[in-house]
């Protein structure tokens, strides 16, 4: 595929995100068509940040003018039919301060459509503006029963489901399509077990239940997943407001500051404007240029804070939270939230391990990562440094120190999955059938990259964790010295000039894995103290730059390796097979840039070169896939088409860290 062809697809299918801070969100495409099962206007977390359900998938919208009727929405149906094609009238799109579409109809009528999610109340607010409305004749009274008689009318049909956000919805007799008008709002409850949907607006509502069948989701089709859905529409709003603005506010019943009664009392337009003012102020007050995007990932859990790994399908993962928080929270000065996050996770240490994720069903903790706990220790160290520099008093430094000690003690004694400190001072990990590092893809019961033994980045994390704990306890210094000596003796790979990826591979003493992977970069950059320096560090950076560097991040495997997969695409098995076998990971650009500066020096010339070579492509990417965000992965081969989650926490976090380190005059 040509670069121009890829760019055209990105422009049409680029995605926007509006998160509610509780695990719910609204998302969609610039072109208006829903291409994923996750694209929705009201997607709520019933057990924040989990229990996500899709309530309002989208809208069917059309405009009546004196010259005819024209669609503003775009729908995609089987087998590959676009109808209607509202995007044909799309004249412009802006993502700041929130998504806005400008339409120009064939008769010259100009209509603006905007959408935002109010973070304080989890309401989705939609507003349409049209100058022609103020010229239309009008009769009737305020409220839902008013009837416009002017020639310009906007018609809006909500499209509902009521399903788990990973599932799909089909027409069925259980789905209730009735409408209830309550306190000036319309209420729908398709399924009794799920929250009702409350809609408030300044238009007239008419119950007209119908089913829309066979929507096609192209992105799901490309991922080899079920891709067809039916949606229910209980009725239609008609707007012809004299103030030139049509308003529709959507919320899941039971949400904080429920929209319904408030909107009815204030008037929907006034309610929407008040929410808009609050959101503008919040977004304008972000301390960092990426502050609004960064805040999307930070949510509450159990009275504390945590970080969602990515949108639209990830929840909070331990490893991702600790990597991402350094950019999303520490680099943006959000120390209170970082404090709350670390204190929350500190209480989850069990047997020296932290959970790496929570199951969707019941939020059960899963302890299946060797690196998540060590990344927590690194995050604690970075937080304490940032807090000291900012004069922030940690809410409970003793709790954080105790959690760090418990983790290191657990690794020293030995814990789950064969994780433990070996006689040489290095950490061994893994049992047959397990995949404990961040390279954790599996096909069925088979790990793709098990990396059993002593993986290189685990040793770098272990040594850094020992160094951090050594600040308050001298007992860790001898363990750190032993681990450093063993690393220096065992990991240099004379054949590549870099480092082995795993030593004592498969727990076979002396066996090594010499695959050229990006994990070795963490021995030079990305962590508080480098594990290797001098010529060996320069060799590692040179090898990674030569074999793995792309404009969007580092490949997970060198292209000359027989196992290399150039593209991340296809069904789940094909994607999992490529996930860590050549696929590019943007988050690794942070450790690489830090390592590159450490071996080159961080003078003005080096920083200018790094900004042009490494930072500029990532910044350009902000305007392509997930708008304002950085994707999870990209193809290993040019043109490095983005894939995976279009909104990934640690990818954005590391971009923020790169910008910060390149703006600083001091050596990193």
């Amino acid at each position: 595929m040509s670069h121009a062809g890829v760019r055209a697809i990105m422009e049409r299918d680029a995605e926007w995100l509006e998160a509610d801070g509780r695990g719910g969100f609204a998302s969609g495409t610039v072109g208006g068509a829903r291409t994923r099962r996750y694209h929705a206007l009201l997607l709520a977390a019933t057990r924040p940040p989990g229990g996500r359900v899709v309530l309002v998938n989208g809208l069917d919208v059309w405009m009546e003018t004196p010259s005819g009727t024209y669609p503003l929405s775009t729908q995609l149906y089987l087998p590959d039919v676009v109808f209607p094609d509202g995007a044909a009238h799309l004249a412009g799109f802006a993502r700041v301060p929130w998504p806005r579409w400008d339409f120009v109809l064939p008769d010259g009528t100009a209509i603006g459509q905007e959408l935002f999610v109010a973070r304080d109340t989890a309401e989705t607010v939609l507003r349409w503006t049209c100058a022609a409305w103020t010229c239309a004749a009008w009769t009737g009274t305020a409220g839902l029963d008013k009837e416009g008689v002017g020639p310009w009318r906007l018609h809006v049909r909500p499209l509902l489901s009521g399903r788990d956000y990973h599932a799909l919805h089909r027409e069925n007799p259980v789905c209730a399509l009735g409408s209830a008008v309550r306190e000036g709002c319309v209420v729908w409850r398709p399924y009794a077990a799920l929250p009702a949907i409350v809609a408030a607006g300044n238009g007239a509502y008419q119950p007209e239940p119908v089913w829309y069948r066979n929507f096609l989701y192209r992105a799901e089709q490309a991922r080899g997943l079920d891709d067809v859905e039916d949606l229910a529409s209980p009725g239609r709003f008609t707007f012809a407001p004299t103030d030139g603005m049509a308003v529709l506010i959507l919320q899941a019943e039971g949400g904080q500051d429920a929209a319904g009664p408030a909107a009815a009392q204030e008037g929907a337009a006034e309610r929407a404007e008040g929410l808009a003012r609050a959101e503008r102020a919040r977004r304008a007050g972000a301390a960092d240029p990426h502050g609004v995007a960064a805040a999307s990932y930070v949510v509450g859990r159990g009275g504390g804070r945590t970080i969602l790994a990515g949108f639209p399908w990830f929840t909070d993962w331990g490893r991702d939270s600790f990597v991402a928080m350094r950019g999303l929270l520490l680099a943006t000065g959000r120390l209170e939230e970082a404090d709350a996050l670390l204190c929350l996770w500190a209480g989850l240490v069990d047997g020296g391990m932290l959970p790496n994720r929570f199951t969707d069903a019941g939020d059960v903790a899963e302890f299946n990562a060797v690196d998540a706990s060590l990344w927590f220790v690194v995050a604690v160290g970075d937080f304490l440094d940032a807090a000291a520099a900012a004069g922030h008093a940690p809410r409970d430094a003793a709790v954080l120190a105790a959690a760090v000690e418990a983790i290191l003690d657990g690794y020293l004694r030995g814990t789950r999955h064969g994780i433990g400190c070996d006689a040489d001072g290095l950490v061994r990990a893994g049992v047959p059938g397990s995949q404990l590092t961040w390279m954790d893809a599996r096909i069925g019961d088979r790990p793709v990259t098990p990396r059993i033994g002593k993986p290189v980045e685990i040793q770098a994390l272990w040594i850094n964790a020992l160094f951090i704990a050594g600040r308050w306890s001298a007992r860790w210094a001898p363990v750190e010295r032993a681990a450093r000596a063993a690393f220096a003796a065992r990991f240099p790979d004379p054949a590549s000039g870099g480092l082995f990826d795993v030593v004592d591979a498969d727990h076979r003493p002396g066996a090594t894995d010499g695959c050229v992977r990006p994990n070795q970069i963490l021995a030079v950059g990305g962590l508080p103290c480098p594990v290797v320096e001098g010529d060996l560090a320069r060799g590692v950076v040179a090898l990674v730059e030569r074999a793995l560097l792309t404009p969007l991040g580092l490949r997970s495997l060198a292209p000359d390796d027989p196992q290399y997969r150039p593209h991340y695409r296809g069904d789940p098995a094909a994607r999992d097979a490529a996930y860590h076998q050549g696929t590019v990971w943007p988050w690794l650009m942070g450790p690489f840039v830090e390592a590159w500066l450490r071996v080159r020096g961080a003078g003005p010339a080096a920083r200018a070169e790094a900004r042009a070579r490494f930072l500029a492509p990532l910044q350009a990417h902000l305007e392509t896939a997930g708008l304002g965000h950085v994707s999870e992965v990209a193809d290993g081969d040019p043109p490095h088409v983005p894939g995976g989650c279009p909104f990934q926490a640690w990818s954005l976090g590391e971009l923020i860290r790169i910008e910060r380190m390149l703006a600083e005059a001091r050596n990193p």
Side-chain angles (χ1 to χ4, degrees), residues 267-407:
E270 292 78 7
R271 171 77 171 175
E273 182 54 35
L275 294 171
R277 282 195 300 269
E279 274 300 301
R280 283 194 196 96
R282 181 182 72 82
R283 300 179 192 214
D288 183 90
H290 306 296
V292 174
S296 301
Y297 302 95
V298 184
V299 299
R301 175 183 279 280
R305 308 296 283 169
T306 189
I307 289 176
L308 298 178
F311 292 94
W313 52 75
F314 284 128
T315 55
D316 49 338
W317 288 54
R319 174 194 301 122
D320 296 58
S321 291
F322 311 135
V323 174
M325 68 161 280
R326 302 189 303 160
L328 299 184
L329 299 181
L330 300 185
T332 58
R334 301 173 65 171
L335 298 182
E336 289 286 352
E337 289 174 293
D339 204 341
L341 182 148
L342 292 172
C343 284
L344 169 73
W345 283 89
L348 300 175
V349 177
D350 185 298
M353 294 183 70
L354 280 169
N356 190 44
R357 66 183 293 265
F358 300 90
T359 61
D360 285 341
D363 293 333
V364 177
E366 294 185 351
F367 296 86
N368 58 3
V370 61
D371 51 353
S373 306
L374 300 176
W375 274 112
F376 171 84
V377 180
V378 170
V380 167
D382 283 356
F383 165 70
L384 293 176
D385 287 345
H392 171 84
R395 61 174 62 183
D396 203 331
V399 165
L400 300 182
V404 169
E405 293 279 330
I407 289 167

Side-chain angles (χ1 to χ4, degrees), residues 183 218 251 282 317 322 457 461 464 506 552 618 627:
E183 296 181 289
R218 283 177 175 153
Q251 189 181 43
R282 181 182 72 82
W317 288 54
F322 311 135
E457 82 280 11
L461 285 162
N464 270 267
D506 296 320
L552 288 185
L618 284 175
L627 297 176

Side-chain angles (χ1 to χ4, degrees), residues 62-68 70 105 107-111 130-138 147-155 238-242 246:
W62 63 98
M63 185 75 173
E64 248 185 289
T65 79
S67 65
Y70 305 99
L105 304 183
D107 63 2
T109 301
I111 305 158
C130 177
W133 276 324
T134 61
C135 303
W138 185 267
E147 295 291 341
V149 297
W152 283 272
R153 287 193 180 94
L154 182 76
H155 301 273
T238 299
F239 302 89
T242 54

Side-chain angles (χ1 to χ4, degrees), residues 16-48:
W16 53 266
L17 173 72
E18 286 283 304
D20 68 6
R22 305 170 192 187
F25 58 92
S27 69
T29 67
V30 170
R34 294 182 308 285
T35 59
R36 299 186 191 272
R37 68 186 67 203
Y38 305 99
H39 287 157
L41 300 183
L42 186 62
L43 190 157
T46 58
R47 301 186 312 277

Side-chain angles (χ1 to χ4, degrees), residues 39 54 69 88 95 101 113 133 159 181 194 202 245 320 401 411 443 461 475 514 530 551 554 597 628 655 668:
H39 287 157
V54 178
T69 300
R95 67 173 178 87
W101 296 260
Q113 174 184 297
W133 276 324
L159 303 174
V181 175
L194 295 179
N202 61 347
M245 179 175 289
D320 296 58
Y411 278 51
I443 300 174
L461 285 162
R475 63 188 284 241
L554 301 185
L597 291 174
L655 169 61

Side-chain angles (χ1 to χ4, degrees), residues 97-165:
W98 45 69
R100 177 185 169 89
W101 296 260
D102 290 308
F103 298 91
V104 177
L105 304 183
D107 63 2
T109 301
I111 305 158
Q113 174 184 297
E114 62 180 346
L115 181 156
F116 66 88
V117 171
R119 195 172 179 89
D120 288 342
T121 61
E123 293 165 83
T124 299
V125 179
L126 297 112
R127 301 196 292 186
W128 295 265
T129 54
C130 177
W133 276 324
T134 61
C135 303
W138 185 267
T139 62
T141 58
L144 290 169
D145 59 344
K146 59 190 177 184
E147 295 291 341
V149 297
W152 283 272
R153 287 193 180 94
L154 182 76
H155 301 273
V156 177
R157 268 193 171 276
L159 303 174
L160 314 182
S161 58
R163 58 164 170 84
D164 180 272
Y165 75 136

